Amino acid sequence: MTGTKTTGGTNGKKKMMFFSGRAHPELAQEVALQLGVDVVPTKAFDFANGEIYVRYEESARGADCFVIQSHTAPINQWIMEQLIMIDALKRASAKSITVIVPFYGYARQDKKHRGREPISARLVADLMATAGADRILTVDLHTDQIQGFFDGPVDHLFALPLLADYVGAKVDKGKLTVVSPDAGRVRVADRWCDRLGAPLAIVHKRRDKDVANQVTVHEVVGEVKGRVCVLVDDMIDTGGTIVAAADALFAHGAEDVIVTATHGVLSGPAADRLKNSRVSEFVFTNTLPTPGELSADLDKIKVLSIAPTIASAVREVFEDGSVTSLFDEQ
């Protein structure tokens, strides 16, 4: 394999080049393997004062370039590195630049809840556009409206088929109830219900607006007694919300609880909360690397690879196909 892939005849030849930042190289390697290319060799390092340097070791002139970087911790460093990588490709005369962001940083800051707050998700999109991105490819945005923040094509991929099919093969569907951990996830949970043929329940909660990550669970709407409940969310950060929701389900008679989320952010006290919870299994995708303190608990943590989904989308973009067709069955 080489760092590039070409298609078309002699006159209309297209060249794909695949690049990765340093945030999550394991996922990049998986995607590259699915595409049948290597990650283009890149020299990247930090200066003593924290500034980032990037230089590609192959020419990108005239190539359709794909730059993958997941915004994991330290999130600001990896966002900045991706912006620098985009700028380097623009100045290297790349034909097109597609930015692959498996986990989009600042996605939760997508609107103003109160006065004098930023809309940081929009700022990240503006920064990528200014750096030179022509297209963004991402997975399970916190809210769909973020797609409108970028003035260009946005390919929004979904982990639902991957996660739902795993749960469906593992649990007796006759005993399964899909649970939304809050009102904002009801639409996604409803799609899970359609795919698995399961009923829906909702955990009603209220968040303390003055205390970050502080949640009070109030009640469960729907029948969960004696059922195997699958809590579905887009991300788990500190784990407080989802563990409290699981406790509420057990308090209402749930037989078992499985938690699924596309993005396992797993910050701060998340490791202890997940280990000590009554939840039988946490299922994530590898849009983010699993923290070392949790990777040993493989009996409770299941990580599914999103690489085939990303690779299929990249292939469709490169070949001028339809990314939407990958999810038409939903």
Side-chain angles (χ1 to χ4, degrees):
M1 295 189 295
T2 65
T4 63
K5 175 185 281 190
T6 57
T7 63
T10 306
N11 296 326
K13 185 175 291 186
K14 296 179 66 177
K15 179 170 70 169
M16 175 202 293
M17 299 188 76
F18 188 74
F19 303 83
S20 172
R22 294 174 291 167
H24 192 4
E26 297 83 6
L27 176 60
Q29 291 292 345
E30 284 191 47
V31 175
L33 185 62
Q34 293 281 331
L35 290 169
V37 301
D38 283 338
V39 178
V40 173
T42 303
K43 184 178 182 180
F45 61 83
D46 300 333
F47 287 106
N49 68 346
E51 292 179 6
I52 297 168
Y53 174 86
V54 171
R55 182 180 185 273
Y56 304 117
E57 298 182 1
E58 293 182 10
S59 171
R61 184 178 298 275
D64 292 306
C65 298
F66 296 82
V67 186
I68 188 168
Q69 180 89 302
S70 203
H71 298 165
T72 186
I75 190 167
N76 297 321
Q77 177 180 357
W78 300 135
I79 290 175
M80 190 66 196
E81 180 175 271
Q82 191 169 37
L83 294 172
I84 291 171
M85 294 177 73
I86 297 166
D87 184 76
L89 286 171
K90 177 178 68 175
R91 298 176 192 281
S93 302
K95 179 183 176 184
S96 68
I97 304 171
T98 297
V99 179
I100 306 172
V101 191
F103 175 73
Y104 186 100
Y106 289 90
R108 283 172 287 185
Q109 298 183 42
D110 61 317
K111 58 181 175 292
K112 291 178 66 172
H113 297 274
R114 294 185 291 176
R116 301 182 299 280
E117 286 185 340
I119 304 179
S120 304
R122 171 62 190 263
L123 175 61
V124 172
D126 287 344
L127 289 169
M128 288 184 177
T130 300
D134 298 301
R135 187 183 202 104
I136 292 177
L137 191 154
T138 188
V139 183
D140 280 339
L141 289 166
H142 189 61
T143 55
D144 290 341
Q145 72 197 42
I146 296 173
Q147 296 175 78
F149 293 169
F150 184 77
D151 192 18
V154 176
D155 295 305
H156 190 196
L157 311 184
F158 304 101
L160 188 154
L162 179 67
L163 293 167
D165 290 352
Y166 172 81
V167 173
K170 185 181 182 70
V171 179
D172 178 4
K173 293 182 182 179
K175 297 186 66 176
L176 190 65
T177 293
V178 176
V179 183
S180 172
D182 56 47
R185 295 289 110 192
V186 170
R187 186 178 177 188
V188 173
D190 201 40
R191 291 202 289 263
W192 273 73
C193 293
D194 291 341
R195 191 173 186 95
L196 295 176
L200 173 69
I202 304 168
V203 176
H204 174 65
K205 70 173 186 180
R206 183 169 298 163
R207 188 180 296 274
D208 187 333
K209 64 182 180 181
D210 294 317
V211 182
N213 302 312
Q214 186 67 44
V215 172
T216 302
V217 174
H218 287 274
E219 60 181 324
V220 175
V221 181
E223 183 55 52
V224 300
K225 186 174 182 180
R227 309 281 294 177
V228 176
C229 297
V230 53
L231 271 164
V232 299
D233 212 343
D234 65 319
M235 71 174 77
I236 296 177
D237 191 354
T238 62
T241 300
I242 209 74
V243 168
D247 289 342
L249 294 174
F250 281 119
H252 283 73
E255 178 183 307
D256 191 16
V257 176
I258 297 172
V259 170
T260 71
T262 304
H263 311 295
V265 182
L266 306 178
S267 307
D272 288 337
R273 286 174 174 169
L274 267 59
K275 289 177 183 178
N276 297 327
S277 74
R278 295 174 60 190
V279 174
S280 64
E281 188 172 29
F282 292 89
V283 187
F284 305 111
T285 74
N286 61 342
T287 57
L288 293 166
T290 303
E293 59 268 30
L294 281 171
S295 60
D297 290 353
L298 295 180
D299 57 331
K300 199 169 191 176
I301 307 291
K302 178 67 177 180
V303 180
L304 307 177
S305 179
I306 198 70
T309 302
I310 294 175
S312 295
V314 168
R315 194 174 293 111
E316 292 294 334
V317 170
F318 179 62
E319 297 175 356
D320 297 322
S322 171
V323 175
T324 302
S325 65
L326 300 175
F327 303 99
D328 278 347
E329 63 185 59
Q330 294 183 59

